[in-house]
Amino acid sequence: MGEAMLKDRTAIVGIGQTRFAKSLDEPEKTLACRAVLAALDDAGIDPSEVDALASYTMEETDEVELAKSIGAGDITFFSRTGFGGGGSCATVAHLAMAVATGQASVGVAWRSRKRGSGVRPWTNTGVQLPTPAQWTRPFGLLRPADEIAMLARRYMHEYGATRDHLFNVALACRNRANQNPAAVMYERPLTREMYMDARWISEPLCLYDNCLETDGALACVVVGAERARDCRQRPVYVHSVAQGLPAQHHGMVNYWNDDPLTGPAWTAARQLWKTADLGPQDVDTAQIYDAFTPLIPLSLEGYGFCGRGEGAAYTEGGALELGGRLPINTAGGGLSEGYVHGFNLINEGVRQLRGSSTSQVPDAATCLVTAGEGVPTSALLLRN
Amino acid sequence: MSVTGTSVTETVNAGGGLVDGLLLPWPDADGEPFWQYALRGELRVQACADCGLRRFPPRPSCPRCHSFADTWQQTSGRGRIWSFVVAHPPLLPAYAAQAPYPVAVVELDDDPAIRMVGTLTPSVRRPDAPWNAVPVSRLRIGTPVQAVYQILTPGVAVPRWALTSP
């Protein structure tokens, strides 16, 4: 099996992004092009060499429009992973597979969003509900925040997790954003008092348990390991990749699974570690999908950083802060840097391994990046 | 689609969209019987006609024995709260008008592996009570409840959960 493995055979050699803000003037397609061109420039690769594209659903900029705008050459591989934010890491995974198997040589993944100034997807009643939603939406469960809050209350009930544990997550992300001039929440500190007094969104979740709504775009470039050594930046190797759609899963409402508190992270993690030379104990920093704070303790358990039911306690004593046991979301994450459907976590993972993060983990050599937990998901283990 | 002992012929009047600002179900072929039985005040779940495994949400084939033959089994409609949230704005206008309101996931007494979402009402005699009629202080994980049916619009009944404790 060894030779067929993806392990370290490809690398991320370029990253790019636009500004993040509550509202940007330019359309999503323009933002996408800017991010992609910036990533290619970062890599020192001409856009005409791009022959693979990967994105994930809920992306409005299509492959045809992007390719002709940036001046890409013939595209020989393109993929689009389903289920929104669960597909962020799958973009890099698919490009790595395409490059490693000779289907393409220069791959670009991207995400462009106008969620800050655009409509929230759940408010768009002009769009027909997908049929799985017939079991939730007409019953009063309207928004993603409600869906995850339901799991959060059960989790708190079963394991004694508290709002202080969720605050630990929100604070770690905000503290990192406070160090990152590109973050929406730069120079905007969060206190425990602000958190505890904040308005509810879906009890037990308050305002600060929810990600930002952000306009912005990001992209990254994937090439083979040999080519990577000639690029402008230090290569960040794609060590292992995984996707996860667990048995009897039902989308973000995992309530009909035998064990609703073990979500897609558990499935992705088993595959990720199986194909890696490393384990959770070897991870220097993690960029964990944080659309909602409870996803962090659930993901810490799923990816094996602690045992079942121990994810909340893991957040205590500054464990998630810079200098702690596992610094997470070191650019601020979806909670405080910007919510660009998880793609900003990939680029921050690359910066950590280049040594160029605004919250640099000293000598970081390995980084876990995860996509949306709750939905069919994906993950990357990056190393330098 | 076979429905043992009954024939489901008419189509549920619910092609999605809104009525009075509330989202209507958009049944697919597998879910349609559920909504038909709900109109009759029956909480039924799909079960495999060959091996008997109950499955929710409904789907074309049995995940255990792979049979395509199904039946719809009546349940007692009784259950216990597995978890609940209290929704606050921002919400769609008709929902915001009733907010904050609790929503629960209930596990059925007949088969705790089957859990259903629903709003709450203080009593089985008040299927149409406002969604915010139950004080949140009365809700606990484990609280017993009973299914009742709120007619959202002619042809569409949506189960919700009435508190049965004193």
Side-chain angles (χ1 to χ4, degrees):
Chain A
M1 174 136 183
E3 292 210 349
M5 286 222 174
L6 282 179
K7 199 181 294 173
D8 303 326
R9 291 182 60 193
T10 62
I12 299 175
V13 292
I15 53 174
Q17 69 186 54
T18 67
R19 203 160 66 82
F20 303 142
K22 181 77 179 169
S23 179
L24 295 176
D25 289 336
E26 292 185 319
E28 278 183 0
K29 186 160 66 175
T30 308
L31 297 173
C33 293
R34 288 192 185 283
V36 168
L37 290 171
L40 287 162
D41 183 57
D42 185 51
I45 293 176
D46 191 87
S48 65
E49 290 194 63
V50 172
D51 56 5
L53 297 172
S55 191
Y56 44 123
T57 50
M58 300 175 76
E59 174 60 46
E60 300 285 324
T61 304
D62 77 36
E63 295 82 351
V64 175
E65 295 295 311
L66 182 75
K68 72 183 179 192
S69 297
I70 66 165
D74 290 348
I75 303 291
T76 57
F77 176 90
F78 41 95
S79 80
R80 190 176 284 235
T81 304
F83 310 104
S88 59
C89 292
T91 58
V92 173
H94 290 194
L95 292 175
M97 288 188 268
V99 170
T101 55
Q103 297 303 301
S105 58
V106 175
V108 167
W110 81 96
R111 176 53 114 217
S112 181
R113 295 281 273 176
K114 294 197 78 169
R115 271 290 299 283
S117 57
V119 296
R120 299 178 168 107
W122 58 266
T123 63
N124 192 356
T125 57
V127 175
Q128 190 71 269
L129 288 176
T131 54
Q134 72 184 295
W135 308 113
T136 52
R137 302 286 172 92
F139 294 87
L141 203 66
L142 197 60
R143 305 163 294 181
D146 304 311
E147 296 168 340
I148 296 301
M150 194 72 81
L151 293 174
R153 186 184 298 273
R154 182 72 194 189
Y155 181 80
M156 294 162 105
H157 171 80
E158 285 197 18
Y159 298 119
T162 65
R163 293 192 66 214
D164 264 305
H165 292 122
L166 302 182
F167 168 65
N168 290 342
V169 172
L171 181 66
C173 292
R174 183 63 68 94
N175 285 342
R176 299 293 78 73
N178 291 162
Q179 296 174 252
N180 173 13
V184 172
M185 290 296 170
Y186 182 57
E187 294 183 328
R188 293 177 65 181
L190 177 69
T191 65
R192 185 175 181 280
E193 187 178 21
M194 287 164 67
Y195 178 89
M196 291 298 169
D197 293 345
R199 63 187 171 89
W200 295 112
I201 300 297
S202 188
E203 297 175 53
L205 302 186
C206 72
L207 178 67
Y208 296 113
D209 293 309
N210 289 263
C211 61
L212 303 172
E213 292 175 314
T214 310
D215 287 5
L218 302 104
C220 73
V221 181
V222 176
V223 300
E226 276 188 32
R227 169 85 186 254
R229 286 189 275 276
D230 299 328
C231 288
R232 195 173 277 168
Q233 301 279 357
R234 181 205 290 190
V236 169
Y237 293 98
V238 180
H239 182 68
S240 65
V241 306
Q243 290 183 262
L245 193 172
Q248 299 298 313
H249 182 60
H250 184 87
M252 197 124 77
V253 287
N254 202 37
Y255 313 144
W256 300 294
N257 191 303
D258 286 346
D259 189 352
L261 297 181
T262 61
W266 291 73
T267 305
R270 281 189 288 270
Q271 178 66 18
L272 190 78
W273 300 127
K274 191 171 80 181
T275 56
D277 292 341
L278 310 162
Q281 70 282 357
D282 302 312
V283 170
D284 295 325
T285 174
Q287 315 298 328
I288 302 179
Y289 197 92
D290 58 346
F292 307 102
T293 54
L295 299 184
I296 300 298
L298 290 169
S299 296
L300 290 170
E301 294 175 18
Y303 286 97
F305 292 101
C306 57
R308 172 76 189 268
E310 297 172 355
Y314 189 99
T315 68
E316 293 170 0
L320 307 180
E321 303 282 349
L322 200 59
R325 186 154 43 150
L326 183 70
I328 67 159
N329 301 5
T330 46
L335 288 163
S336 282
E337 182 189 28
Y339 183 60
V340 197
H341 238 167
F343 209 103
N344 45 325
L345 300 172
I346 299 173
N347 282 17
E348 173 62 9
V350 171
R351 284 192 297 263
Q352 278 289 349
L353 299 185
R354 288 179 177 180
S356 63
S357 170
T358 51
S359 292
Q360 184 62 43
V361 173
D363 302 319
T366 56
C367 180
L368 171 71
V369 186
T370 75
E373 168 59 348
V375 290
T377 194
S378 52
L380 299 172
L381 188 60
L382 305 177
R383 72 185 302 179
N384 60 13
Chain B
M1 175 65 54
S2 71
V3 177
T4 305
T6 36
S7 90
V8 175
T9 50
E10 65 181 306
T11 300
V12 173
N13 177 24
L18 297 172
V19 60
D20 296 333
L22 298 178
L23 291 162
L24 293 178
W26 185 30
D28 56 7
D30 302 312
E32 173 108 359
F34 176 92
W35 298 102
Q36 283 289 350
Y37 289 120
L39 268 175
R40 301 179 206 171
E42 295 176 10
L43 189 73
R44 291 197 182 220
V45 295
Q46 189 187 31
C48 178
D50 287 319
C51 79
L53 179 72
R54 292 181 184 180
R55 53 188 199 253
F56 184 86
R59 70 206 69 163
S61 58
C62 175
R64 183 164 68 191
C65 77
H66 312 128
S67 167
F68 283 79
D70 67 3
T71 181
W72 284 76
Q73 294 183 352
Q74 187 142 17
T75 73
S76 68
R78 287 192 295 273
R80 290 174 186 279
I81 292 178
W82 181 83
S83 186
F84 64 97
V85 302
V86 184
H88 294 251
L91 290 156
L92 294 171
Y95 294 79
Q98 303 192 72
Y101 61 86
V103 183
V105 167
V106 169
E107 52 186 10
L108 298 186
D109 285 354
D110 295 350
D111 193 338
I114 293 181
R115 307 182 186 96
M116 298 189 62
V117 179
T119 56
L120 291 140
T121 172
S123 154
V124 291
R125 293 179 300 281
R126 299 183 60 197
D128 300 317
W131 284 14
N132 57 9
V134 176
V136 173
S137 61
R138 289 188 64 193
L139 300 178
R140 297 281 184 278
I141 287 176
T143 296
V145 292
Q146 168 77 49
V148 296
Y149 299 84
Q150 181 172 28
I151 307 294
L152 288 188
T153 193
V156 182
V158 176
R160 57 194 301 211
W161 300 102
L163 300 198
T164 53
S165 54

